[in-house]
Amino acid sequence: MAGENSDVELMLRVKKGDREAFAILVLRYRKPLINFIFRFTRNVPASEDLAQEVFLKVFQSAGRYEPRAEFSTWLYRIASNAALNFLRDLKTRASVPIDGNSEADGDEAPMDLRDPGLPIDSGLIEQERVRQIRQAVSELPESQRLALILTKYQALSLKQAAAVMKCSEVAVKSLIFRAYSTLRERLVSVVSV
């Protein structure tokens, strides 16, 4: 994320009680954080609520903040834990089917990847392809899904992803490799269409 040094400086100001600095961090990271969490939850309202909880945790723990890593690394670690805890709670309550086929899918942000010049059939095929890819990614083991989301969708470096995941860069590479291998196997029909 751009301005990483200034983010640490801002957080150090927040640590001293500067609410304006906190507001700047919230403005800077709100959308990326919601998008990051959405890739786990597939639910816009839940993602917005979790992002708000993450910022609350950041504010509450500001007094203990030590800039040992980049600010974004620290923030995404908190967000990862919040998103994964949310998913674990869902599974425990069993209020939403794990296969993702629920009425809650209506909360999913629309993603229209269709070229307006394509016939309607092509648009439907593309929608189905996107749905299958999302489903396959959501079925990856937590660690593989997290490594993939951090590096591919959030554009964190291997070093940053390793810090968020509390593992080595080699471990992150391995998780990404296994994720892509699994996705290739599961999505053979989608890719060959």
Side-chain angles (χ1 to χ4, degrees):
M1 187 123 259
E4 194 62 53
N5 288 336
S6 63
D7 292 344
V8 169
E9 292 167 10
L10 284 169
M11 192 59 201
L12 290 172
R13 286 175 39 200
V14 173
K15 184 176 181 174
K16 294 177 183 176
D18 186 339
R19 290 178 181 252
E20 190 175 311
F22 182 71
I24 293 168
L25 287 172
V26 170
L27 283 173
R28 189 174 288 169
Y29 283 94
R30 183 179 177 277
K31 283 185 181 178
L33 205 58
I34 290 170
N35 288 333
F36 172 72
I37 295 169
F38 177 78
R39 295 193 186 285
F40 286 92
T41 65
R42 311 303 307 154
N43 181 301
V44 173
S47 299
E48 291 170 346
D49 290 347
L50 287 170
Q52 196 166 355
E53 285 178 30
V54 168
F55 284 120
L56 180 62
K57 287 178 186 178
V58 166
F59 188 77
Q60 290 173 337
S61 60
R64 297 183 307 275
Y65 176 74
E66 293 298 327
R68 293 185 199 116
E70 295 177 17
F71 174 78
S72 62
T73 302
W74 182 65
L75 181 67
Y76 282 116
R77 182 177 304 142
I78 294 169
S80 297
N81 290 338
L84 294 173
N85 286 339
F86 174 82
L87 292 176
R88 287 183 195 121
D89 289 348
L90 273 182
K91 286 180 184 177
T92 301
R93 288 190 313 242
S95 62
V96 175
I98 294 173
D99 68 0
N101 294 328
S102 70
E103 292 178 24
D105 285 344
D107 290 335
E108 189 171 305
M111 184 178 209
D112 188 10
L113 298 177
R114 184 176 70 83
D115 179 347
L118 293 176
I120 263 273
D121 291 349
S122 297
L124 293 174
I125 291 170
E126 187 60 26
Q127 268 186 325
E128 178 59 18
R129 181 180 296 181
V130 168
R131 189 198 66 73
Q132 287 179 14
I133 291 169
R134 285 179 174 167
Q135 182 68 32
V137 169
S138 73
E139 291 172 352
L140 289 171
E142 276 181 11
S143 57
Q144 290 178 24
R145 185 175 51 211
L146 181 57
L148 186 68
I149 289 171
L150 287 171
T151 56
K152 178 165 176 45
Y153 298 105
Q154 296 308 121
L156 267 59
S157 68
L158 288 173
K159 182 179 180 179
Q160 291 170 317
V164 169
M165 297 180 71
K166 296 182 181 178
C167 64
S168 70
E169 289 179 50
V170 172
V172 173
K173 282 183 184 178
S174 176
L175 289 167
I176 293 167
F177 176 80
R178 288 193 306 231
Y180 279 128
S181 294
T182 301
L183 290 174
R184 269 193 294 279
E185 288 174 20
R186 289 185 183 167
L187 297 171
V188 143
S189 63
V190 174
V191 174
S192 63
V193 171

